Amino acid sequence: QIQLVESGGGLVQPGKSLNLSCAASGAIVSLMGWYRQAPGKNRTVVAEITSGGISNYLDSVKGRFTISREQNTVFLQMNSLKPEDTAVYYCYVLTTMSTAYWGRGTQVTVSS
């Protein structure tokens, strides 16, 4: 059984930075990423990174967010945060057996 341990998140002012991390254990992981869900909206992908280091980003976070990975730990460095980035952020992993797992989520609130 895979386990995901998320950390980071919190309340920050616009323009500030936060770093999220998610450590996966118990399985061999291929794809790792972060999704977010704002109140009343669908969950959407923010950034993903493959085991080979190829990354993709939501258009609205390009140039501000950076996803990185060290083995089975994924990081999301979020800079120049905006109020519209406020959401619950979920870690997501896809194992080499094509099974998906979700973290419990961590709240990110951007407000002055």
Side-chain angles (χ1 to χ4, degrees), residues 2-10 19-25 32-37 43 46-47 72-76 78 87-93 101-108:
I2 194 169
Q3 291 187 334
L4 301 179
V5 179
E6 299 169 324
S7 63
N19 187 57
L20 305 181
S21 64
C22 174
S25 61
M32 303 187 79
W34 292 93
Y35 281 62
R36 70 185 182 189
Q37 186 167 19
R43 190 175 297 187
V46 177
N72 281 359
T73 299
V74 63
F75 306 92
L76 185 67
M78 304 184 292
V88 178
Y89 285 68
Y90 296 90
C91 177
Y92 166 86
V93 302
Y101 293 88
W102 294 90
R104 294 185 175 183
T106 184
Q107 177 70 46
V108 171

Side-chain angles (χ1 to χ4, degrees), residues 2-108:
I2 194 169
Q3 291 187 334
L4 301 179
V5 179
E6 299 169 324
S7 63
L11 170 64
V12 293
Q13 294 179 333
K16 300 298 185 180
S17 300
L18 278 175
N19 187 57
L20 305 181
S21 64
C22 174
S25 61
I28 300 174
V29 175
S30 58
L31 183 71
M32 303 187 79
W34 292 93
Y35 281 62
R36 70 185 182 189
Q37 186 167 19
K41 296 188 177 180
N42 294 328
R43 190 175 297 187
T44 59
V45 61
V46 177
E48 294 179 319
I49 187 167
T50 69
S51 56
I54 298 173
S55 58
N56 291 295
Y57 295 91
L58 178 69
D59 283 347
S60 63
V61 308
K62 286 180 180 178
R64 300 189 296 120
F65 291 11
T66 302
I67 191 168
S68 60
R69 177 174 174 174
E70 291 181 6
Q71 296 185 334
N72 281 359
T73 299
V74 63
F75 306 92
L76 185 67
Q77 177 65 41
M78 304 184 292
N79 297 329
S80 301
L81 282 161
K82 303 176 180 180
E84 51 263 43
D85 294 319
T86 295
V88 178
Y89 285 68
Y90 296 90
C91 177
Y92 166 86
V93 302
L94 188 67
T95 70
T96 54
M97 299 300 289
S98 299
T99 304
Y101 293 88
W102 294 90
R104 294 185 175 183
T106 184
Q107 177 70 46
V108 171

